[in-house]
Amino acid sequence: MNTVARGPEFMVARAEGVWLWDASGDRYLDGTASLWYCNVGHGRTEIADAVHRQISTLDAYTVYGDFSNGPAVELSERLAAHAPVADPRVILTSGGGEAIETAAKLARRYWAVTGQPGRTHLISRTGGYHGLHGFGTSISGMDRFRHGYGRVVEDTSVVPHDSAAALEAEILRVGPERVAAYFAEPVIGSGGVYPPREDYFTEVARICRKYGVLFVVDSVICGFARLGNWFGIERFGVSPDMVVFAKGVSSGYLPLGGIVVGGRVADPFYNGEGNAFMHGTTYAGHPTACAAAMANLDILEREDLFTVSLEVERHLDVALQGLASHPLVAEVRSGVGVMGAVELTEEALSGRGITTAEVFAEARARGVIVRAIPTSLLVSPPLVITWEQIDHLVSTLSAALDAVAARH
Ligand SMILES: Cc1ncc(COP(=O)(O)O)c(C=O)c1O
């Protein structure tokens, strides 16, 4: 609100591939795939055609009770076939935050129906972002999203993102008989691009197993080829109890999210009399959104963006690391997934009063969109970006840093 109060809005008029055009016809490189979601790039007519076909056949219909539809079933089966989860089932939602609510409530409900109703506590990580609905707000690893709303969801806590020992200590502090689930992104995204330490996920998976805690992976950013595979977490060789997805599942052409639930968690609800999970949303299983996702997944598979993205990841890593020696830069985090963070030095931020918003604005004025968080500039381009476009992105970011440095 404060941003638009200060000046005119930046009107996005059109997009094609990795490019955007504003309302005056100026062109920009989309260095962030919008908000981390446009994995296949903009303007894919194949997705538009699939949407047109579906909306003309069955626009939308509820999947309440035993109602269902072809695209919802096909998409669920396709996702289940690739999910690193044992005996998978799929619940569809309209986005990531809604999917997090579903996973969090399902985790608590699972314990309630299996005779351990005391297990309500949810543990998440510093820097973790899980959307901004009720549970997502409470398990946010960033204080600026969590505070100022009174008491939201209780029985949650946050542990340092890079320490499996800290997770175990927190489980013991709370009492394993009270802990329902642990939530983690494969690579922390919005919080600043933090890949896990080697063995982190093997360790936390072992700790969750040891204490019976459900292991929930939030792959909303990391899924659908951004880490070179379907759900991101495969890269670290562990199998969670639930995986939350959104964004790249449809590349954002239509809003869609959901969770893949392992049989251990799902079975009591199918098999137990009276074990209802009284939860769901109006647009769950929306056939047109699911048709958009199916066409998007066709592109990911046909163009083998799972393999391509690993090459993009390498090139982006090399290019971004070139910024590490810039006088304003403290650290560059890249090399796991098509994403990176350029963190500014304390001296630049506090000493010279430089803001990442200024660097963002300079880059945009030069025709490149990056994302500013308080200490870093983040990039997460569409997976179809070329080497030349990566070099353009990074050299423009470098020029923006120079321009801001010269002003201060
Ligand atoms: C890791 C992660 N989880 C959940 C969400 C929430 O998704 P949505 O904004 O669709 O509610 C986001 C959104 O950025 C995210 O990055």
Side-chain angles (χ1 to χ4, degrees), residues 82-116:
H82 293 283
V85 170
D87 192 13
R89 325 289 162 79
V90 175
I91 300 178
L92 296 169
T93 68
S94 307
E98 227 180 59
I100 286 287
E101 302 300 293
T102 307
K105 285 177 69 179
L106 186 58
R108 286 183 170 186
R109 187 79 188 122
Y110 166 77
W111 290 115
V113 302
T114 55
Q116 296 189 60

Coordinates of all heavy atoms in Angstrom, one line a residue, residues 82-116:
H82 N 4.9 -39.2 -9.6 CA 6.2 -38.7 -9.5 C 6.6 -38.2 -8.1 O 7.7 -37.8 -7.9 CB 6.3 -37.5 -10.5 CG 6.3 -37.9 -11.9 ND1 7.3 -38.5 -12.6 CD2 5.2 -37.8 -12.8 CE1 7.0 -38.7 -13.8 NE2 5.7 -38.4 -14.0
A83 N 5.7 -38.3 -7.2 CA 6.0 -37.8 -5.8 C 6.9 -38.7 -5.0 O 6.7 -39.9 -5.0 CB 4.7 -37.5 -5.1
P84 N 7.9 -38.2 -4.3 CA 8.8 -39.0 -3.5 C 8.1 -39.3 -2.1 O 8.7 -39.1 -1.1 CB 10.0 -38.1 -3.3 CG 9.4 -36.7 -3.3 CD 8.2 -36.7 -4.2
V85 N 6.9 -39.8 -2.2 CA 6.1 -40.1 -1.0 C 5.6 -41.5 -1.1 O 5.1 -41.9 -2.2 CB 5.0 -39.1 -0.9 CG1 4.0 -39.4 0.2 CG2 5.5 -37.6 -0.7
A86 N 5.6 -42.2 0.0 CA 5.1 -43.6 -0.1 C 3.6 -43.6 -0.2 O 2.9 -43.0 0.6 CB 5.6 -44.4 1.1
D87 N 3.0 -44.4 -1.1 CA 1.6 -44.6 -1.2 C 0.8 -43.3 -1.3 O 0.0 -43.0 -0.5 CB 1.1 -45.5 0.0 CG -0.3 -46.0 -0.2 OD1 -0.8 -45.9 -1.3 OD2 -0.9 -46.4 0.8
P88 N 1.1 -42.5 -2.3 CA 0.6 -41.1 -2.4 C -0.8 -40.9 -2.7 O -1.4 -41.6 -3.5 CB 1.5 -40.5 -3.4 CG 1.9 -41.6 -4.4 CD 1.9 -42.9 -3.5
R89 N -1.4 -39.9 -2.1 CA -2.8 -39.4 -2.5 C -2.6 -37.9 -2.6 O -1.7 -37.3 -2.0 CB -3.8 -39.6 -1.4 CG -3.7 -40.9 -0.6 CD -4.0 -42.1 -1.4 NE -3.5 -43.3 -0.8 CZ -4.0 -43.9 0.2 NH1 -5.1 -43.5 0.8 NH2 -3.5 -45.0 0.8
V90 N -3.5 -37.2 -3.3 CA -3.4 -35.8 -3.6 C -4.6 -35.0 -3.2 O -5.7 -35.5 -3.4 CB -3.1 -35.6 -5.1 CG1 -3.1 -34.1 -5.5 CG2 -1.8 -36.3 -5.6
I91 N -4.4 -33.9 -2.5 CA -5.5 -33.0 -2.2 C -5.1 -31.7 -3.0 O -4.0 -31.2 -2.8 CB -5.6 -32.7 -0.7 CG1 -5.8 -34.0 0.1 CG2 -6.7 -31.7 -0.4 CD1 -5.9 -33.8 1.6
L92 N -6.1 -31.2 -3.8 CA -5.8 -30.0 -4.6 C -6.4 -28.7 -3.9 O -7.4 -28.8 -3.2 CB -6.4 -30.2 -6.0 CG -5.8 -31.3 -6.8 CD1 -6.6 -31.6 -8.0 CD2 -4.4 -31.0 -7.2
T93 N -5.7 -27.6 -4.1 CA -6.2 -26.3 -3.5 C -6.0 -25.3 -4.6 O -5.6 -25.6 -5.7 CB -5.3 -25.9 -2.3 OG1 -4.0 -25.6 -2.8 CG2 -5.2 -27.0 -1.3
S94 N -6.2 -24.0 -4.2 CA -6.1 -22.9 -5.2 C -4.7 -22.2 -5.1 O -4.5 -21.3 -5.9 CB -7.1 -21.9 -5.0 OG -8.4 -22.5 -4.9
G95 N -3.9 -22.6 -4.2 CA -2.5 -22.0 -4.1 C -1.7 -22.6 -3.0 O -2.2 -23.6 -2.3
G96 N -0.5 -22.0 -2.8 CA 0.4 -22.6 -1.8 C 0.0 -22.4 -0.3 O 0.0 -23.3 0.5
G97 N -0.5 -21.2 0.0 CA -0.9 -20.9 1.4 C -2.0 -21.8 1.8 O -2.0 -22.3 2.9
E98 N -3.0 -22.0 0.9 CA -4.1 -22.8 1.2 C -3.7 -24.3 1.4 O -4.2 -25.0 2.2 CB -5.1 -22.8 0.0 CG -6.5 -22.6 0.3 CD -7.3 -22.6 -1.0 OE1 -7.3 -23.6 -1.7 OE2 -8.0 -21.5 -1.2
A99 N -2.7 -24.7 0.6 CA -2.1 -26.0 0.7 C -1.4 -26.2 2.1 O -1.5 -27.3 2.7 CB -1.2 -26.3 -0.4
I100 N -0.7 -25.2 2.5 CA 0.0 -25.2 3.8 C -1.1 -25.4 4.9 O -0.9 -26.2 5.9 CB 0.8 -24.0 4.0 CG1 2.1 -24.0 3.2 CG2 1.1 -23.8 5.5 CD1 3.1 -25.0 3.7
E101 N -2.2 -24.7 4.8 CA -3.2 -24.8 5.9 C -3.7 -26.2 5.9 O -4.0 -26.8 6.9 CB -4.4 -23.9 5.5 CG -4.1 -22.4 5.4 CD -3.5 -21.9 6.7 OE1 -4.3 -21.8 7.7 OE2 -2.4 -21.5 6.7
T102 N -3.9 -26.8 4.7 CA -4.4 -28.2 4.6 C -3.4 -29.2 5.2 O -3.8 -30.0 6.0 CB -4.6 -28.5 3.1 OG1 -5.4 -27.5 2.5 CG2 -5.3 -29.9 2.9
A103 N -2.1 -29.0 4.9 CA -1.1 -29.9 5.5 C -1.1 -29.8 7.0 O -1.0 -30.8 7.7 CB 0.2 -29.6 4.8
A104 N -1.1 -28.5 7.5 CA -1.0 -28.3 8.9 C -2.2 -28.9 9.7 O -2.0 -29.6 10.7 CB -0.8 -26.8 9.2
K105 N -3.4 -28.6 9.1 CA -4.6 -29.2 9.8 C -4.6 -30.7 9.7 O -5.0 -31.4 10.6 CB -5.8 -28.5 9.2 CG -6.0 -27.1 9.6 CD -7.3 -26.5 9.0 CE -8.6 -27.1 9.4 NZ -9.7 -26.4 8.7
L106 N -4.2 -31.2 8.5 CA -4.2 -32.7 8.4 C -3.2 -33.3 9.3 O -3.5 -34.4 9.9 CB -3.9 -33.0 6.9 CG -4.0 -34.5 6.5 CD1 -5.4 -35.1 6.8 CD2 -3.7 -34.7 5.1
A107 N -2.1 -32.7 9.5 CA -1.1 -33.3 10.5 C -1.7 -33.3 11.9 O -1.6 -34.4 12.5 CB 0.2 -32.4 10.5
R108 N -2.3 -32.3 12.3 CA -2.9 -32.3 13.6 C -4.1 -33.3 13.7 O -4.2 -34.0 14.7 CB -3.4 -30.9 14.0 CG -2.3 -29.9 14.3 CD -2.8 -28.6 14.8 NE -1.8 -27.7 15.3 CZ -2.0 -26.6 15.9 NH1 -3.3 -26.1 15.9 NH2 -1.0 -25.8 16.4
R109 N -4.9 -33.3 12.7 CA -6.0 -34.2 12.6 C -5.6 -35.7 12.6 O -6.2 -36.5 13.2 CB -6.9 -33.9 11.4 CG -8.2 -34.6 11.3 CD -9.3 -33.9 12.2 NE -10.5 -34.8 12.2 CZ -11.0 -35.3 13.3 NH1 -10.5 -35.0 14.5 NH2 -12.1 -36.1 13.2
Y110 N -4.5 -36.0 11.9 CA -4.0 -37.3 11.8 C -3.7 -37.8 13.3 O -4.1 -38.9 13.6 CB -2.7 -37.4 11.0 CG -1.9 -38.6 11.2 CD1 -2.3 -39.8 10.6 CD2 -0.8 -38.7 12.0 CE1 -1.6 -41.0 10.7 CE2 0.0 -39.8 12.2 CZ -0.4 -41.0 11.5 OH 0.3 -42.1 11.7
W111 N -3.0 -37.0 14.0 CA -2.7 -37.4 15.4 C -4.0 -37.5 16.2 O -4.1 -38.4 17.1 CB -1.7 -36.4 16.1 CG -0.4 -36.6 15.4 CD1 0.3 -35.6 14.7 CD2 0.5 -37.7 15.4 NE1 1.5 -36.1 14.3 CE2 1.7 -37.4 14.7 CE3 0.4 -39.0 16.0 CZ2 2.7 -38.3 14.5 CZ3 1.5 -39.9 15.8 CH2 2.6 -39.5 15.1
A112 N -5.0 -36.7 16.0 CA -6.2 -36.7 16.8 C -7.0 -38.0 16.5 O -7.5 -38.6 17.4 CB -7.1 -35.5 16.4
V113 N -7.0 -38.5 15.2 CA -7.7 -39.7 14.9 C -6.9 -41.0 15.2 O -7.5 -42.1 15.1 CB -8.3 -39.7 13.5 CG1 -9.2 -38.5 13.2 CG2 -7.2 -39.8 12.4
T114 N -5.6 -40.8 15.5 CA -4.8 -42.0 15.7 C -4.5 -42.1 17.2 O -3.5 -42.8 17.6 CB -3.6 -42.1 14.8 OG1 -2.8 -40.9 15.0 CG2 -3.9 -42.3 13.4
G115 N -5.2 -41.4 18.0 CA -5.1 -41.6 19.5 C -4.0 -40.8 20.2 O -3.6 -41.1 21.3
Q116 N -3.4 -39.8 19.5 CA -2.4 -38.9 20.2 C -2.8 -37.5 20.0 O -2.1 -36.7 19.4 CB -1.0 -39.2 19.6 CG -0.5 -40.6 19.9 CD 1.0 -40.7 19.5 OE1 1.8 -40.0 20.1 NE2 1.2 -41.6 18.6

